[in-house]
Amino acid sequence: MIAIPYFTALTTYFSYGLLFVFGQFRDFFRKILDWWSTDNLQGYAPICLGLEDFYIRRLYNRVQDCFGRPLSSAPDAWFDVVERYSNDNNKTLKRTNNVSRCLNLGSYNYLGFAAADEYCTPRVIDSLKKYSHSTCSSRVDGGTLALHNELEECVARFVGKPAAIVFGMGYVTNSSILPVLMGKGSLIISDSLNHNSIVNGARGSGATIRVFQHNTPSHLEEVLREQIAEGQPRTRRPWKKIMVVVEGIYSMEGELCKLPEIIAICKRYKAYTYLDEAHSIGAVGKTGRGVCELLGVDTSDVDIMMGTFSKSFGSYGGYIAGSKELIQYLKYNCPAHLYATSISPPAAEQIISAIQVVIGEDGSCRGAQKLARIRENSNFFRSKLQKMGFEVLGDNDSPVMPIMVYNPAKVSSFSRECLKQNVAIVTVGFPATPLLLARARICISASHTKEDLIEALEVINRIGDLVGIKYFPAEPKKQQQVGMLKLE
């Protein structure tokens, strides 16, 4: 768990409190002015109502220039960010014709496949010419091509499962699969920091939901024992089935799941394991096969493996891998398979080609080089940030590294100052994170060179001092310079 410095927590609460009070004053006077206006629909309740609407109008709009920045190039190591301006205090942003060439530290382009690739791109172009850009149909109608069957077989072999099924969106993979597998009388035990797609899928299933402390196997066991002993609410009957849902790498924390311990507990209590590898498949492990390979877990011990193609493979969509019986059941019952348009042929070809590069079927060793490079880049960047005095979350080998910022004013300042220095980063705050735990999330890519990383570190170091987000003592500069020289 994150231990927030007392003074930092106090100033963060004060900042939000100040914004809230001034926002309430502005809303009060706004109601008075609106009372005289005849433009409002009489008799209709406001369509946007509640604290979420207040947060957007009075807090988010002040800093919305830090989010949703439009790009005009591929999300490679460097990309073009379109410059914007506002004439109404940030309520609306207008694009200009100017672009800034920025170092990309925000995209999930872990292996560098999002840009043009010597092996993947020609095959994607050929598939576009052969199959067109869309199937214009669901999988059970006219939307299954030979390419989709090849993709599912390729994914199943890659992750080490008997069969797989693919979908056109990673978010939908979680939110549509869980309601199919779980229902009334079932129990879902979810990590407290699981992704929103898992949360919504669990809620939509109708199953009973219990949460265990983030990445804490001992608390998971306590919850399992308690729930098995109590049984279903009111009736006290045994649960029809129990499923534990975890992530391989937690996207907002950069932490690796304690999978071996969780698997052992699930086996002991006869609970199914659902593993979301959206950020870990292709990015970690000696051959890119995710946390199972990295942590030495046999994939046969994981009942349901989920992953996405929008991170390491430079495409889009998601997959579920498991037993043949499970996949066949999903093909008959999952709405995302029955009713949604299938993955576009070029996107499917991109995934197949990227996997072939990763496992060396392209006849080169580029896949192994990419995997080694992202591991080296991630560990180097993380260690240097920590030595500079930043509070960095996550584990070694993880390409996701959040820098804790906390204060809302510092979030926007850090983002804007980095952009001025041509370094594009992603800042994350409420509601994506708890109110006090705003952060900047850096994603490292195999396409970054050492020179890129050193340049980014120098910029972040200067701005960290300027904004005041170094919450730990920094290592002496001489030792940092020696580390840089050794790397070069």
Side-chain angles (χ1 to χ4, degrees), residues 28-86:
F28 174 76
F29 289 109
R30 178 189 180 188
K31 288 178 182 178
I32 295 175
L33 294 174
D34 286 349
W35 187 78
W36 296 97
S37 174
T38 58
D39 296 335
N40 294 331
L41 294 173
Q42 298 299 320
Y44 284 84
I47 197 167
C48 299
L49 190 64
L51 285 176
E52 291 81 4
D53 178 54
F54 174 83
Y55 178 85
I56 291 171
R57 289 185 292 102
R58 299 307 184 199
L59 281 79
Y60 173 78
N61 282 349
R62 294 172 178 267
V63 295
Q64 69 167 320
D65 59 298
C66 300
F67 305 94
R69 289 166 175 155
L71 310 178
S72 61
S73 66
D76 204 358
W78 290 78
F79 57 15
D80 295 326
V81 179
V82 178
E83 296 179 5
R84 298 179 294 176
Y85 70 96
S86 176

Side-chain angles (χ1 to χ4, degrees), residues 110 248-249 256 276-285 288-291 312:
Y110 296 143
I249 291 179
L256 296 169
D276 178 344
E277 287 216 83
H279 287 268
S280 54
I281 192 67
V284 297
R289 286 174 167 84
V291 292
S312 297

Side-chain angles (χ1 to χ4, degrees), residues 259-439:
L259 193 58
E261 297 94 327
I262 290 173
I263 292 291
I265 292 170
C266 290
K267 281 185 173 183
R268 190 178 308 144
Y269 293 94
K270 304 297 186 284
Y272 292 108
T273 308
Y274 184 107
L275 175 63
D276 178 344
E277 287 216 83
H279 287 268
S280 54
I281 192 67
V284 297
K286 186 177 179 180
T287 60
R289 286 174 167 84
V291 292
C292 288
E293 181 179 48
L294 181 67
L295 302 177
V297 174
D298 192 332
T299 55
S300 63
D301 291 332
V302 181
D303 301 290
I304 303 165
M305 300 182 70
M306 177 270 177
T308 63
F309 305 122
S310 54
K311 280 79 176 177
S312 297
F313 306 109
S315 187
Y316 73 91
Y319 69 84
I320 292 289
S323 66
K324 290 182 178 180
E325 294 77 15
L326 169 69
I327 301 305
Q328 197 64 31
Y329 176 80
L330 294 176
K331 288 183 176 180
Y332 290 146
N333 293 279
C334 183
H337 180 79
L338 298 172
Y339 305 115
T341 302
S342 58
I343 295 179
S344 72
E349 180 59 50
Q350 168 66 30
I351 301 163
I352 295 171
S353 301
I355 292 176
Q356 288 173 343
V357 173
V358 170
I359 62 180
E361 288 186 358
D362 64 327
S364 74
C365 58
R366 289 196 306 123
Q369 292 171 351
K370 285 176 177 288
L371 290 167
R373 194 178 305 122
I374 189 174
R375 183 169 57 252
E376 293 170 3
N377 287 353
S378 300
N379 293 338
F380 165 72
F381 205 83
R382 182 185 303 279
S383 67
K384 291 301 177 184
L385 287 175
Q386 291 170 339
K387 290 175 182 177
M388 290 174 180
F390 292 100
E391 184 177 355
V392 185
L393 304 185
D395 297 315
N396 284 336
D397 288 352
S398 171
V400 181
M401 48 197 75
I403 300 175
M404 298 309 298
V405 180
Y406 299 117
N407 195 288
K410 293 183 179 182
V411 170
S412 55
S413 298
F414 186 68
S415 176
R416 289 165 180 160
E417 291 301 320
C418 283
L419 188 65
K420 288 179 183 178
Q421 301 296 321
N422 299 110
V423 174
I425 63 168
V426 170
T427 50
V428 188
F430 180 83
T433 66
L435 194 67
L436 291 181
L437 303 182
R439 64 201 65 181

